[in-house]
Amino acid sequence: MTGSLKPPPKKVTPKLDQNIMLFVRLLRAIGMKLGSADMLNAVDAAKTVGVANKNFMYHALASSLIKRREDKLLFDQAFYMFWQNPKFHERIRDLLLPKIKSPGDEHDDGAAMLRRLSDALAAPPKDQPSANDDVKIEVDTTGTATDSDRLKHRDFEMMSAEEIQLAEQAIASLWPCLPRRPARRSKLSPRGQKIAMRFALQRSVKQLGIVFPQFQTIVTKPRPLVVLCDISGSMEQYSRIMLHFIHTLTRNHPAVSSFLFGTRLTNISRQMQNRDVDEAVQAVSHLVEDWSGGTRISGCLEQFNQDWSRRIMGQGAITLLITDGLDRTADPAFGAHMARLHKSTSALVWLNPLLRFDGFAPKAQSVRMMIQHVDHFLPIHSLQAMRDLTTSLAKIQNQRDARLTEWQDAARRAGFTDRAVPSYAQEKGSLA
């Protein structure tokens, strides 16, 4: 009798609510700011259109969860991975395996996952300890003050992948004090140091002819900022970090023009204006064709002087030149290109990661030619060096740093001979 009875069919319970909740958690993990109300709206929208038509499902969730235009690419890729892609596990396996690209491979298309999304999907789940497991007390020192200080002073070239990610987050939180210039206009201010006679007379009409003293101060405007960043092979470990630094400057300053140069000059100003740093970096990676290649600093500066200098160098622009200065081509016109760039800008600041070595000295010919035409020479190899630059950038004026003059004179006297030039440590010691 028992063999003739069939087991009752299992009751299929809809899990749409739980899946949408997990999907919203994934979107939060990759940086989209969503609250509980957004999650409830997404659930109601999904129940209204149903799950039979995937297009209706996509637009229902997109209309409920996309709040900013820059989040659309992240949402599309997360939706593709979470709801639609039948080869989800194969994509995850591909992420874990090293990729080898052969020459001629096309760039990643729009369906390629962003780094933020791949990190969120690859994050290991948190294990829930059971009652039978042995309880072990471990002291986690990650994120302590000691680790934070160590990360500040660690060279970008020596950082691991996790430390690079922490450094990029720290760069995004910087608030640079960017330079400003005085404008022609003035405004009333009780703390102003100039007497505003015109305003005082105008107000006296409404005050029965009694003139009360008024004060004014000069209005300031942001000074344009031009960034020229080297992406050659010798700067490979710093290129991505510098892109995040340029994006932070662009996000906090209304007039930043950005260029990358290796063997050619590339304008990335429009790509850097994207508020999402991952999308900006991805757009730049698709645009630039000479990553980690050779170096033609002289030719790139000549192209910049001819094509862009007059367009963007007005209104007292300050130029940040990020490079190690190592150029294999011995172009005799290199000094002339540097001199013209120096004359076009209000202040030329050379940011060199090689200054992390105290024994650095201008021995290379290209470095000796460049150092004669800069106003400031600063390191840019660590978070602390970058933070010092952002706090002092507003104080940079068009006067040449007096501490650099002796070093420039020594390099000029040495010329292209083997004559010794004081090192960076010797210069710092002579200034102490």
Side-chain angles (χ1 to χ4, degrees):
M1 295 296 291
T2 57
S4 61
L5 295 178
K6 296 182 179 179
K10 295 182 179 179
K11 185 178 180 181
V12 179
T13 57
K15 296 184 177 180
L16 182 61
D17 298 357
Q18 292 82 351
N19 288 330
I20 292 179
M21 180 183 66
L22 294 176
F23 181 60
V24 172
R25 287 181 178 176
L26 173 63
L27 296 180
R28 287 174 178 170
I30 60 179
M32 294 180 62
K33 297 180 180 179
L34 299 173
S36 302
D38 300 323
M39 183 187 301
L40 296 177
N41 292 336
V43 172
D44 294 339
K47 288 182 177 178
T48 301
V49 300
V51 296
N53 191 312
K54 61 182 180 182
N55 291 328
F56 291 170
M57 182 73 172
Y58 167 80
H59 290 290
L61 295 180
S63 60
S64 304
L65 299 176
I66 297 179
K67 303 299 181 183
R68 302 180 303 173
R69 188 177 62 179
E70 55 267 25
D71 291 339
K72 186 176 183 304
L73 180 59
L74 284 172
F75 177 86
D76 291 345
Q77 295 188 355
F79 186 88
Y80 178 76
M81 297 296 297
F82 192 88
W83 297 97
Q84 295 185 347
N85 187 9
K87 298 181 180 179
F88 178 81
H89 297 288
E90 295 181 5
R91 297 294 301 270
I92 296 297
R93 183 195 59 190
D94 294 340
L95 286 174
L96 299 178
L97 294 176
K99 294 182 178 179
I100 301 176
K101 285 189 175 182
S102 60
D105 287 348
E106 297 180 354
H107 293 290
D108 295 337
D109 53 6
M113 283 196 306
L114 294 175
R115 179 184 176 186
R116 192 189 310 174
L117 180 58
S118 61
D119 291 343
L121 291 174
K126 296 181 179 179
D127 297 334
Q128 298 294 334
S130 61
N132 298 329
D133 294 342
D134 295 336
V135 178
K136 296 181 179 179
I137 300 176
E138 297 181 355
V139 179
D140 186 7
T141 59
T142 304
T144 59
T146 305
D147 292 339
S148 179
D149 293 340
R150 187 182 300 114
L151 184 65
K152 286 181 182 178
H153 299 281
R154 183 180 290 273
D155 193 312
F156 291 135
E157 192 177 23
M158 305 300 293
M159 286 185 176
S160 61
E162 182 180 1
E163 291 173 338
I164 288 290
Q165 189 173 3
L166 294 175
E168 292 172 353
Q169 296 175 1
I171 293 173
S173 62
L174 290 177
W175 291 93
C177 300
L178 296 171
R180 301 182 69 86
R181 65 179 180 86
R184 296 181 178 179
R185 297 178 55 188
S186 301
K187 66 177 182 180
L188 289 176
S189 174
R191 298 182 179 178
Q193 298 179 353
K194 295 179 63 178
I195 297 177
M197 184 61 68
R198 180 180 178 183
F199 294 110
L201 294 176
Q202 288 177 350
R203 289 194 175 185
S204 65
V205 177
K206 299 180 181 180
Q207 298 169 353
L208 303 177
I210 303 175
V211 180
F212 291 100
Q214 301 289 335
F215 299 93
Q216 62 182 359
T217 183
I218 298 177
V219 176
T220 59
K221 291 184 177 181
R223 192 183 290 270
L225 199 63
V226 180
V227 183
L228 298 171
C229 182
D230 188 354
I231 55 169
S232 61
S234 58
M235 293 284 291
E236 182 178 4
Q237 298 297 328
Y238 300 93
S239 300
R240 182 176 178 87
I241 290 290
M242 294 307 152
L243 284 180
H244 283 257
F245 178 61
I246 295 173
H247 184 269
T248 300
L249 294 177
T250 307
R251 191 186 58 197
N252 291 277
H253 197 61
V256 177
S257 301
S258 309
F259 296 84
L260 300 181
F261 65 90
T263 57
R264 65 188 67 182
L265 185 70
T266 307
N267 185 3
I268 60 168
S269 303
R270 181 178 300 176
Q271 287 73 23
M272 285 289 106
Q273 291 176 358
N274 193 320
R275 296 184 63 184
D276 190 288
V277 62
D278 287 338
E279 292 185 24
V281 173
Q282 188 181 29
V284 171
S285 64
H286 290 173
L287 180 65
V288 179
E289 299 179 355
D290 54 342
W291 284 104
S292 305
T295 311
R296 291 182 59 250
I297 304 178
S298 178
C300 293
L301 291 184
E302 181 182 10
Q303 182 182 356
F304 177 81
N305 290 331
Q306 292 179 355
D307 299 340
W308 295 101
S309 178
R310 294 185 179 179
R311 301 185 192 180
I312 59 178
M313 283 295 196
Q315 301 179 351
I318 291 179
T319 302
L320 302 181
L321 182 59
I322 307 174
T323 179
D324 53 8
L326 301 179
D327 192 352
R328 293 183 178 180
T329 59
D331 188 359
F334 191 8
H337 301 322
M338 280 295 300
R340 181 175 176 181
L341 176 66
H342 187 205
K343 292 178 180 177
S344 303
T345 184
S346 176
L348 181 56
V349 184
W350 184 2
L351 304 176
N352 192 342
L354 292 180
L355 286 186
R356 65 185 185 275
F357 303 116
D358 289 338
F360 173 81
K363 299 180 180 178
Q365 295 182 6
S366 57
V367 177
R368 289 188 179 184
M369 286 188 286
M370 291 180 64
I371 200 173
Q372 300 176 22
H373 303 284
V374 298
D375 297 313
H376 302 270
F377 196 27
L378 303 172
I380 191 73
H381 63 285
S382 64
L383 278 177
Q384 186 61 42
M386 195 172 289
R387 192 181 301 274
D388 294 341
L389 172 66
T390 54
T391 55
S392 61
L393 195 57
K395 303 177 183 177
I396 290 179
Q397 302 296 329
N398 52 3
Q399 291 85 6
R400 180 171 296 183
D401 190 351
R403 300 174 298 179
L404 188 60
T405 305
E406 296 181 5
W407 211 8
Q408 292 174 325
D409 293 340
R412 187 177 297 109
R413 288 193 299 269
F416 300 141
T417 63
D418 295 335
R419 186 173 180 178
V421 180
S423 64
Y424 183 55
Q426 291 173 334
E427 276 300 315
K428 290 193 299 184
S430 63
L431 299 173

